[in-house]
Every structure is written in structure tokens, then in C-alpha cells.
Amino acid sequence: MTTPGDATSSPSESTAPPDGAAPTTPRAAHRTPVIDDFLGETTRDLEAWRWLWSGDRTFPIRSHRGLLGRLLVAGKRLLRPLVRGATADLWDRQRSWNLIVVEHLAEMRRIEEDLVARTGPLEHKAAHLEAFLQEGLRELMRYDDALYSRVDQKLDRYRREAGELTALLGSAVERAGAGSPAPALATALADRHYLELERRYRGTPAEIRDRLSVYLPLFAGKRAVVDLGCGRGEALTLLAEQGLAAAGVDESPEMVRRCREQGLDATVGDALGFLRARPEASLDGVVSFHVVEHLPAATLDSLVREAWRVLRPGGCLVLETPNPLSITVAASHFWRDPSHLRPLHPDALRLSCEQAGFEQVEIRFLHPFASADRLPEIDLAGLDDKGRELAHRVNLLRDRLDQALYGYQDYAVIARKS
């Protein structure tokens, strides 16, 4: 047996293609590999490598130029038998290993070709399935669009019918007058009207909770707080989440029902009567949000005095109401609610609290109008000195006018009992 590199055969001994014939690739089935396939740029054909390692192949020893080259070739040929005998066992093991590697590579190639052959149909099926799914989704979307259109039409019809029934019910209640079941129906209709008013103009429960959260630090470490006119229960929920014993009262049975559905402590009744029923110095806080503008002046004064009576020393009264110092609020927004009696000036509400006995009274303005709703300001950039001075004076006038027209939407009186 001989090792590659020890062979003495010349290139003429290999089966090279005849002159003029088109060269064939090592992978061609009709072509037997030759030693030249492994000289120069080595072949990548696994069958050729199997042919090489499975037999006793010899490689030519190329002649070197000149006398010295020929002497080297002659020396190599003389040493070949010695090298072959010394490395025969090692070379047999190497050849066996090489054949194993070639077999594994051939098996991997067969697996790859099989996968390629199988993937073609699968890709076709996948493309068909994707097209089928897309068409199905389009059909489903068309069906959903048609279904939602029908639902919208039905909802519109039900809204119209509900509006007509409500109008007819209101007319019937109005004609029935006193001395009939009409008062209960009238209350229900009024509740419905006020709920719709709050939904449109007061804000969502989440928005109201966010606004009222600014008052929570006032009641840190306190125990009991009542909410006069608790409405949908936003303040009661916030206070209860702080671990306070929060109770509320509202004249609307519907509002109280909604509070109780949330597990809140709420009672149907009027605010003044609710406070009068409380023991003296029994509460840490009394709050009322957008209620006092609904009360006659005498009732408001009585309510503030009762609040002072039921509060413990260190207790706090909070009354929030629309800000009449804003012309937009006083002339427009305030009158969206037809049950509002009159705007309350901050000074008047402060005086009422002071006369009731509160010594620490703070006015806190809240909820500024959005910048987009206010008067624009002149940009001073790019103006010369004279133009900048004039624009600055106009901006100062703009600030005063903007504050009068817009400013803050609400304010709160925060009165503490010493």
C-alpha cells in the first residue's frame, strides 16, 4: 500500500480526457475520477474522494527543474519504501477515518437533497394555505363590517326609540301632576338628565378621581371623612383607598345606588340634614365638590356652621366650586347646569367660613384652561428693539385679559378648625 505523495506514476498514467474534449465535472456519473482531480484546485466531489480513499491510489512525484531538482526526485523515490513501511499502520487508520468522514458527508448531502425535494411541495402548500387564510380573513372582515353596520343601525334605532319613550314619559308625568305616582317618575327622569349632563360636561369617573387626588394629603393620618353630594362616588373611593372611614350623602337615589354597587357607604338625603344628624366633633373632614353653587345663601351658611361643629380640632372643610373670576366660566360654562343657582365669589365663601369659626382659610385655584383654548402670545424672536418693546407691552395686556377671560376653571376653599 502507498500513501498519497509517495506514488511514482506520472500524469500520463491517469485517465485524463482526450485532447479537444469538453472538460467534465468530478460529479458526472459517467466519468471515473483520476489523480489529476486532486492536484491543483482540489475537487469537491464526495464520490471522487471515496474513490481516492477506498483504493490504493498513487500520486505522481513531479520533476523539478535543473540537476538539483532531479536529484531530489531520485532521493524521494529511494526513500519511499522506507517511509511506506514505517507509516503503513498509521496510514491505514487515517484512510479508514477519512472514509468514515466521506460517508457522513455523503449522508448529510442525501438528507439535504431529500429535504430540498420535500420542501418544494411544502412551500407550494404553504403558499396555497397563506392565500386561503388571507382570503378567509378578508371574507371575515367583510362579514364583520356588514355585521357592525347592522348593529350600528339597530343601536341608532333603539336610541331614537328610547329618546321618544323618555320624551313621552316626561310629558305623561307632567300631565299627571301632583297626587299621583308621578313624583317618583319625575325623580327618575331628573336623575337621568343629570347623569347625562355629568357624562358630557363633568368628565369621566377616572378624570374626576385624578382631579380630586390633590386633596388626599389633607387627610393623611385622619380617620373619618364625609362627602356631601357624593355623586358617582369618586371621592368616596379615593378616601376609602387611603383607609379612611368615608361616608357620603346625595339627594339622587340613582347616584346612591351606583355608590352602593361599588361597596361604598352612601345615603339618600340632603347635605345639611346629614350633618345635623352627626355628633359634635365626630369627623376629621368634610368635603363637598361642586355642590355649594346649588344651595341658597342661607342654606350654605348653615352648612358651613354645621361643618365646623362636627369637625374635631385639626379637622378640615373642603368646598370646591366653579371659579367666577374667569369670565368664560361665569358667563358660559357655569350655566350649562340649569340647577346652578349663582356663582360664588371666593371672597364671599371665605367670609362665610371665617364667620362660622374657621381661623385658617385658604383659597386654592384649580384646573387651568388648556393652552390651546387661551389667547395666543406674540413671539418676540426676530423683532427689532422697537418692535420687541411694543410686542412685550401687548403681551402684558394679553396676560391680564387672558387671566380675566380664562384663568382657572375651579377653586376650592380649604378651611381648618383650630
Side-chain angles (χ1 to χ4, degrees), residues 15-28:
T15 56
D19 293 340
T24 58
T25 63
R27 292 180 58 85

Side-chain angles (χ1 to χ4, degrees), residues 248-274:
V249 61
D250 202 287
E251 293 184 349
S252 167
E254 177 62 20
M255 296 290 190
V256 172
R257 182 188 68 80
R258 295 194 175 198
C259 288
R260 289 176 176 174
E261 285 181 348
Q262 302 172 62
L264 303 173
D265 182 3
T267 304
V268 178
D270 68 279
L272 183 57
F274 184 76

Side-chain angles (χ1 to χ4, degrees), residues 226-247:
V226 298
D227 181 9
L228 308 179
C230 57
R232 298 173 297 193
E234 295 92 346
L236 290 179
T237 302
L238 281 174
L239 295 169
E241 289 174 352
Q242 301 302 309
L244 295 165

